[in-house]
Amino acid sequence: MAANKEESDPDGLFTSEELEKALCVLAGSDPENCSYSQGYVKRQAVFACNTCTPRDAEPAGICLACANKCHDGHDIFELYTKRNFRCDCGNRKFGDFQCQLNSAKDEENVRNLYNHNFSGCYCTCDRPYPDTDDQDNDEMIQCVICEDWFHSRHLGCTVVEPEELQEMVCEACMNKAPFLWTYAAHFAVPPVISVSHAEEEEVVDVDAGDGGEKNVFEPSQNEDQQPSASVEHVNLEEVTNRSSPYKRTHEQMTDSPRKATTKTVTCRLKELHLQRLERPRQGAVFWPYSWRSELCICTSCKRAYVAADVQFLMDQSDTILAYENKGLDEPFGQHPLMALTSSMDRVQQLEVIYGYNELVTSINAFLDRCVAEGKTVTVEAVHQFFEELRAKKRRRTNAGYQ
């Protein structure tokens, strides 16, 4: 969910596990066949072509296979993944350009959703990534609803450490589906937002009818428990892992339809409302990966999801984590480099990984040099760069036989 510059391995070596993580976004998509024939794919890697559809043109997205086959050599940038998207390659937005993998396409994919990401811009600041004018090495975090990417400093809240990042919903999307604020008070990462004394008193005392304080984070607490004085002092583990009379068990969540008909259907959201637990309605919200299982799926709530256009939140397989796991579990989704190394012995694997690491380092050094010297990366410069690499490889190979 977050993208930033990772620290390099002290030994200069990419392990197979690290390489697999780097490729897992592409692993869930077919690199050979255009995804158009599959309709609006639940989730797939999507790219934009600045050569065919520049910033001032209509936004368009292409699948992994078309990025590899049809737009080879073009100015391509990755959009990570998008849900319910259909490949645009070769449709009306591309003029006379034809898709080489599937020419029988509608002129427009009317259900596709586009945002400024397709023009290479991100966040509320509407800046490109990477941004050569931005000196801050700030990670970009994707909202799981609008799928835009945000600088952590523009989320309106203090962000947890990158290794602890979970699913994030930006403030605009929280307000688009305001019922999520109720769930956030119970199941999301507690906010680290400064609130005024008056606001804090209102949150803590909201359910104290006789002048006594009630700990809003523990509505079912025992009498000998001490109340919490502020929403900012609650331990994350207690909020995420505590047992509640309203928490569904695994058996309740997996009951068969026959058993479900014998039970009284109640609205989970209304039950949570009765607990009167509040949190400041500001800033982005970070959720544990299990939070979607806590959402009510009664008829009334389902209508609310559809009205807010967030019905995909009821689908556990919609998550990025589920997409990546699916791709890595299925042979057709395995990246060719991973398939290649899996058939080698340890020495051969190390040679490939070292070679890959050297190539990445050389490319990064080449691009950094161009930026430092203010040069435009031309086709001729790229050809010269790879010719230098080939010459270096030949010298190293010849030296080995002397």
Side-chain angles (χ1 to χ4, degrees):
M1 187 187 65
N4 66 336
K5 293 181 180 179
E6 300 292 338
E7 295 183 359
S8 59
D9 188 280
D11 297 325
L13 173 65
F14 282 127
T15 65
S16 296
E17 182 180 356
E18 290 168 338
L19 184 58
E20 186 171 342
K21 288 181 179 179
L23 299 172
C24 63
V25 172
L26 303 181
S29 299
D30 189 341
E32 300 295 333
N33 303 295
C34 178
S35 64
Y36 181 85
S37 59
Q38 301 174 38
Y40 291 87
V41 179
K42 178 180 289 187
R43 183 171 293 284
Q44 65 175 309
V46 175
F47 303 79
C49 180
N50 195 41
T51 302
C52 298
T53 54
R55 188 168 185 171
D56 56 351
E58 286 189 75
I62 59 178
C63 67
L64 174 61
C66 287
N68 290 339
K69 306 291 184 180
C70 305
H71 299 265
D72 183 32
H74 290 192
D75 182 11
I76 301 292
F77 55 93
E78 184 180 0
L79 299 175
Y80 201 52
T81 69
K82 298 290 182 184
R83 68 167 59 87
N84 299 328
F85 197 87
R86 198 172 196 185
C87 181
D88 287 320
C89 179
N91 67 11
R92 175 184 56 79
K93 296 182 178 183
F94 288 79
D96 295 332
F97 183 87
Q98 296 293 317
C99 177
Q100 300 175 28
L101 300 179
N102 188 340
S103 58
K105 294 183 177 180
D106 293 338
E107 290 190 353
E108 184 178 1
N109 295 313
V110 294
R111 290 171 52 193
N112 279 359
L113 297 179
Y114 306 92
N115 59 16
H116 62 169
N117 294 172
F118 290 83
S119 299
C121 296
Y122 307 87
C123 191
T124 54
C125 60
D126 198 36
R127 296 293 301 169
Y129 182 84
D131 190 348
T132 55
D133 295 331
D134 186 0
Q135 300 303 314
D136 294 328
N137 185 20
D138 192 5
E139 69 263 21
M140 299 285 288
I141 306 170
Q142 188 182 40
C143 172
V144 299
I145 291 184
C146 67
E147 298 187 304
D148 195 2
W149 290 80
F150 298 84
H151 296 103
S152 61
R153 64 184 184 272
H154 293 155
L155 289 175
C157 65
T158 301
V159 180
V160 294
E161 291 301 316
E163 62 268 18
E164 297 174 357
L165 291 180
Q166 303 168 73
E167 288 201 307
M168 184 274 288
V169 178
C170 69
E171 182 178 347
C173 287
M174 290 293 295
N175 292 328
K176 172 187 172 183
F179 48 82
L180 290 180
W181 289 110
T182 299
Y183 290 105
H186 291 262
F187 307 113
V189 176
V192 186
I193 301 174
S194 297
V195 296
S196 67
H197 180 70
E199 290 173 334
E200 193 172 326
E201 284 291 319
E202 183 181 355
V203 171
V204 174
D205 293 337
V206 69
D207 210 17
D210 56 358
E213 277 192 348
K214 181 175 181 179
N215 180 358
V216 292
F217 275 93
E218 293 291 349
S220 58
Q221 65 177 352
N222 297 326
E223 292 180 359
D224 58 345
Q225 287 179 305
Q226 294 299 319
S228 171
S230 166
V231 296
E232 295 181 338
H233 299 152
V234 176
N235 183 281
L236 171 60
E237 252 181 57
E238 293 175 0
V239 174
T240 349
N241 300 330
R242 72 177 187 270
S243 293
S244 155
Y246 302 102
K247 189 175 182 65
R248 292 174 293 180
T249 64
H250 175 73
E251 288 76 12
Q252 289 172 325
M253 294 168 60
T254 56
D255 268 347
S256 65
R258 182 185 60 79
K259 292 182 180 180
T261 58
T262 65
K263 296 184 178 181
T264 302
V265 178
T266 59
C267 178
R268 184 87 191 285
L269 183 61
K270 290 181 180 178
E271 291 177 341
L272 296 177
H273 270 304
L274 293 176
Q275 297 183 41
R276 307 286 297 279
L277 182 59
E278 301 288 344
R279 69 177 274 156
R281 295 194 173 197
Q282 61 185 98
V285 176
F286 288 87
W287 308 79
Y289 283 116
S290 60
W291 75 283
R292 300 191 189 203
S293 64
E294 303 290 352
L295 299 178
C296 179
I297 53 173
C298 73
T299 302
S300 177
C301 285
K302 286 180 178 179
R303 292 196 186 105
Y305 300 142
V306 172
D309 199 23
V310 294
Q311 58 270 27
F312 49 82
L313 292 179
M314 294 182 287
D315 183 2
Q316 300 293 323
S317 65
D318 171 78
T319 65
I320 294 291
L321 184 63
Y323 164 82
E324 293 175 350
N325 289 339
K326 179 177 180 291
L328 294 175
D329 287 342
E330 296 182 5
F332 74 84
Q334 190 176 27
H335 192 277
L337 184 56
M338 294 307 301
L340 176 66
T341 57
S342 64
S343 62
M344 297 178 176
D345 61 34
R346 181 60 180 170
V347 174
Q348 292 172 323
Q349 286 179 343
L350 289 175
E351 289 177 349
V352 171
I353 293 171
Y354 273 117
Y356 178 82
N357 190 35
E358 182 182 6
L359 176 61
V360 171
T361 302
S362 300
I363 291 175
N364 287 336
F366 166 70
L367 295 176
D368 289 342
R369 188 169 64 251
C370 290
V371 171
E373 297 173 357
K375 294 181 178 179
T376 302
V377 181
T378 62
V379 174
E380 291 76 17
V382 173
H383 285 166
Q384 181 181 353
F385 165 74
F386 280 102
E387 183 56 37
E388 290 174 357
L389 283 183
R390 283 191 288 268
K392 182 179 178 181
K393 181 180 178 181
R394 284 195 295 269
R395 287 195 300 270
R396 187 168 60 245
T397 303
N398 293 337
Y401 286 98
Q402 291 176 355

